[in-house]
Amino acid sequence: MNLKKLVAISDHFPNCASSRKKAVSGCGLGFVSFFIFLFLLFSTFFLKNPNSDKVFFQGFNTTKDVTFVQNSTQLEQSPKILVSETTAESNGSNLDIRLNLVGNEGKGNIHFGNFTSNVKNDSFNGISAKVVDFKDTHLIKLKDDAKNGTSGAITMNPNEGKVSNFQEIGSGSVKSDGLEQDHGKNSQNLRNFSSSFEDCDIFHGRWVRDDSKPYYPVGSCPYVDRDFNCHLNRRPDDEFVKWRWQPFACEIPSLNATDFLERLRGKKMVFVGDSLNRNMWESLVCILRHSLRNKKGVFEISGRREFKKKGFYAFRFEEYNCTVDFVSSPFLVRESSFKLKNSSFETLRLDLMDRTTSMYQDADILIFNTGHWWTHEKTSRGEDYYQEGNHVYPRLKALDAYTRALSTWAKWVDKNIDTHKTQVIFRGYSLTHFRGGQWNSGGQCHKETEPIFNTSHLNNYPSKMRAFDNVLRVIKTPVIYLNISRLTDYRKDGHPSIYRTSHKTMSLEQRIAAQDCSHWCLPGVPDTWNELLYASLLKVGSGSWKI
């Protein structure tokens, strides 16, 4: 029998046959049939993905009923984030965040990027709070023995001990300060970058090691107050300058000093408040100055180099026709006196703003703070000190007086600030780290060389900031709140401690007995406040900061 059997193709595929039939062998037919089977199998898989009920995009794996705030462009610029209800092993090559969404089983419309908007005491909506141990910040993990429950987890495994910065933003490359130096390109790059943090709580995160810090070399800025210049005062370690703030939910741009100055061109920025705001002001002056080739074009207009006395100080950046000023007003409200027939005594008018308001009312950007002077020691223990109208309170608690003063500030802002011209910012309370006593009773932070890593060692949200939260609810003027309390609480290592000039003639025992655990070394933590100021202004995007 002939093993070859002729088979007409038209018998199997009549629609494909021509008027003239062709024949192929059985062996050939088998090959063709096998090929067609593979084609049909591939088509079926392609058209009906077994995982079609999920959305996959650059590390995101979530059910389709989850609504993302970011668009596809924004996702491409975000760190690799996996949102899932199951955990898996990290690949270790990217920032890999896993969030178990609590209380949303079976619910859709989870807006990612907004989940830390109301952080208080290390808890936030939709995700249970956990005690975080950052002892090994090079390989960060959240402990399973959570203080307030065990559901949910965030695991971060930065590559080689560091959370990588974006190497490209938009079509431009990223330089050491975060963005290209050309302002036109910066605007486009920042527009792309900002989308990744515009809905993020940039104040909820942790400190990660970053050897590329600080923004200006230690000892390079002549305008750092001697009390803040820990390098000049011979602090032996410099590890405190090698930390970067990393929000949990997003990346933030480094402070691009050239771009910052370009946006300030022709404008006036003023810091108003106590010596902690002076700490921040000096930091920004040094960051911006370091970016300029002609540093002689940066000077305090009155020629002063000491800024500890109360008054008004203005640094002019001649190339950009702008000023960055500081107005000393530790209470924001007016220090006054109450006159009797034959004598008088000092008071604090809780119902009147300080007389310095004329120095900054016309500013384009205002950064306020107050808090560290609201203590019993600096307010006569609240006895016969606080005044409203012609009434002096025989006794009033500092927190109550502070709240009344903030209300006065809010009313003044609403009445006197032109929101079409001026952006108002309030910087939150900076935590202190006195152990064994307070600033005037032997409190110390000497020999602290690394941040706090375990969140169970942190303080609660400061009561003064709770008071400010209440004021924010009633003020009509849009206010940017730099909520830096939490991030400063970690940094017990960043204070001058015994390394301040006023103690240089004292013995070691005397210096240890009187330490500064309130202010911050420069370079240091206030540089991060200015980095977050920069990011916050970009987020709001008004005036020259609109991107």
Side-chain angles (χ1 to χ4, degrees):
M1 173 185 267
N2 192 345
L3 296 178
K4 293 182 180 180
K5 183 177 182 179
L6 298 179
V7 180
I9 296 179
S10 60
D11 291 342
H12 296 278
F13 304 102
N15 294 332
C16 297
S18 63
S19 58
R20 183 179 180 182
K21 296 182 179 181
K22 296 183 180 180
V24 295
S25 68
C27 180
L29 176 62
F31 177 80
V32 172
S33 299
F34 180 73
F35 176 81
I36 293 172
F37 172 77
L38 291 178
F39 175 79
L40 292 174
L41 182 63
F42 175 79
S43 299
T44 301
F45 179 82
F46 181 80
L47 296 175
K48 187 177 181 181
N49 192 323
N51 291 317
S52 60
D53 62 332
K54 294 188 177 182
V55 179
F56 291 86
F57 194 87
Q58 183 143 347
F60 283 82
N61 177 355
T62 182
T63 56
K64 63 182 179 182
D65 62 346
V66 175
T67 302
F68 287 93
V69 175
Q70 293 94 335
N71 58 29
S72 59
T73 303
Q74 295 163 348
L75 292 178
E76 288 178 348
Q77 296 168 7
S78 300
K80 185 175 182 180
I81 302 177
L82 173 65
V83 181
S84 177
E85 295 191 358
T86 59
T87 56
E89 292 295 323
S90 169
N91 59 21
S93 61
N94 294 283
L95 177 62
D96 190 3
I97 304 178
R98 294 181 175 85
L99 305 177
N100 286 342
L101 303 179
V102 177
N104 285 295
E105 292 81 355
K107 298 179 182 180
N109 298 324
I110 300 169
H111 294 270
F112 183 80
N114 220 11
F115 66 93
T116 60
S117 59
N118 294 310
V119 179
K120 291 292 181 293
N121 296 327
D122 203 34
S123 64
F124 43 96
N125 293 337
I127 303 178
S128 64
K130 304 189 77 67
V131 175
V132 187
D133 192 340
F134 293 154
K135 180 59 182 174
D136 220 348
T137 312
H138 301 72
L139 189 61
I140 302 169
K141 70 173 184 176
L142 269 79
K143 288 180 137 251
D144 292 328
D145 54 341
K147 183 177 182 180
N148 296 316
T150 58
S151 57
I154 303 176
T155 305
M156 303 184 182
N157 293 310
N159 186 31
E160 297 181 354
K162 294 173 67 176
V163 179
S164 59
N165 289 319
F166 291 121
Q167 296 304 311
E168 293 186 358
I169 301 174
S171 59
S173 60
V174 179
K175 294 190 176 182
S176 60
D177 60 357
L179 298 163
E180 293 185 9
Q181 297 299 310
D182 179 75
H183 182 61
K185 293 181 180 179
N186 282 341
S187 298
Q188 181 62 41
N189 289 340
L190 286 170
R191 184 178 296 110
N192 293 334
F193 199 108
S194 67
S195 62
S196 66
F197 66 89
E198 62 185 0
D199 297 300
C200 167
D201 182 356
I202 60 177
F203 303 100
H204 184 59
R206 84 280 188 241
W207 292 92
V208 297
R209 177 79 178 202
D210 189 341
D211 291 329
S212 68
K213 296 293 181 183
Y215 279 105
Y216 47 101
V218 173
S220 67
C221 185
Y223 301 120
V224 174
D225 186 271
R226 182 63 187 260
D227 284 356
F228 306 152
N229 198 330
C230 299
H231 171 75
L232 188 63
N233 296 328
R234 300 187 179 183
R235 176 168 171 166
D237 65 297
D238 63 353
E239 297 300 296
F240 63 93
V241 303
K242 299 178 180 179
W243 296 92
R244 175 172 56 83
W245 180 249
Q246 175 63 54
F248 285 129
C250 60
E251 293 281 347
I252 56 173
S254 294
L255 195 164
N256 186 324
T258 303
D259 180 70
F260 199 114
L261 282 168
E262 189 62 53
R263 295 175 189 276
L264 280 184
R265 185 179 291 277
K267 292 181 170 57
K268 177 180 179 180
M269 170 182 275
V270 185
F271 290 80
V272 184
D274 58 28
S275 56
L276 272 297
N277 240 19
R278 178 163 58 87
N279 219 175
M280 183 179 180
W281 168 67
E282 291 182 13
S283 161
L284 183 61
V285 168
C286 292
I287 292 173
L288 300 180
R289 175 184 177 274
H290 184 65
S291 69
L292 299 176
R293 292 183 179 179
N294 179 23
K295 292 179 173 52
K296 292 183 179 180
V298 181
F299 52 88
E300 204 282 319
I301 56 175
S302 61
R304 289 173 291 184
R305 287 175 175 257
E306 295 289 336
F307 315 114
K308 294 183 67 173
K309 293 183 179 180
K310 287 187 178 181
F312 169 78
Y313 305 91
F315 268 97
R316 178 171 175 79
F317 291 78
E318 205 163 39
E319 182 180 343
Y320 292 89
N321 187 31
C322 67
T323 61
V324 180
D325 307 346
F326 172 68
V327 175
S328 177
S329 181
F331 294 107
L332 296 183
V333 292
R334 185 175 302 179
E335 295 179 72
S336 183
S337 62
F338 191 83
K339 294 182 179 180
L340 300 174
K341 284 186 177 180
N342 299 319
S343 63
S344 64
F345 55 91
E346 292 183 352
T347 62
L348 187 65
R349 289 292 301 267
L350 302 177
D351 56 340
L352 294 177
M353 286 289 285
D354 194 359
R355 292 185 176 88
T356 58
T357 55
S358 60
M359 299 177 182
Y360 57 77
Q361 185 172 336
D362 63 339
D364 297 278
I365 300 176
L366 277 172
I367 304 101
F368 291 96
N369 98 296
T370 186
H372 283 269
W373 282 46
W374 295 88
T375 64
H376 280 316
E377 291 78 9
K378 293 188 177 182
T379 58
S380 299
R381 297 187 176 275
E383 298 175 356
D384 296 324
Y385 184 73
Y386 298 117
Q387 179 182 354
E388 286 184 324
N390 291 323
H391 176 68
V392 177
Y393 290 92
R395 182 184 294 272
L396 189 66
K397 292 182 178 179
L399 183 60
D400 190 2
Y402 176 79
T403 303
R404 293 168 186 259
L406 285 180
S407 179
T408 298
W409 168 81
K411 291 175 182 176
W412 179 89
V413 168
D414 282 341
K415 182 179 179 180
N416 295 278
I417 294 299
D418 180 1
T419 56
H420 294 97
K421 171 181 171 58
T422 303
Q423 175 63 64
V424 177
I425 299 161
F426 193 95
R427 181 184 59 75
Y429 187 74
S430 169
L431 272 293
T432 61
H433 294 91
F434 293 98
R435 64 174 188 270
Q438 290 302 310
W439 63 275
N440 59 348
S441 58
Q444 300 182 12
C445 53
H446 182 37
K447 295 184 178 180
E448 296 288 0
T449 58
E450 60 181 18
I452 293 172
F453 296 117
N454 192 327
T455 59
S456 65
H457 297 160
L458 299 179
N459 293 290
N460 292 329
Y461 190 62
S463 57
K464 289 174 182 174
M465 292 301 91
R466 293 189 187 279
F468 180 72
D469 287 343
N470 292 330
V471 172
L472 276 182
R473 294 186 179 97
V474 298
I475 193 170
K476 298 176 183 178
T477 304
V479 174
I480 296 176
Y481 177 24
L482 297 182
N483 189 1
I484 53 85
S485 296
R486 187 74 167 177
L487 68 90
T488 58
D489 202 359
Y490 285 102
R491 295 304 307 273
K492 59 184 174 65
D493 60 317
H495 300 289
S497 62
I498 67 172
Y499 301 103
R500 48 184 303 190
T501 185
S502 60
H503 301 318
K504 64 182 179 180
T505 59
M506 298 180 181
S507 66
L508 179 60
E509 291 75 14
Q510 290 174 318
R511 295 171 67 188
I512 291 176
Q515 301 188 24
D516 184 354
C517 305
S518 298
H519 299 96
W520 303 91
C521 297
L522 292 180
V525 172
D527 302 333
T528 294
W529 302 351
N530 284 308
E531 185 175 67
L532 293 168
L533 167 66
Y534 178 67
S536 297
L537 287 168
L538 292 175
K539 286 178 69 173
V540 171
S542 62
S544 61
W545 294 88
K546 192 171 183 178
I547 55 176

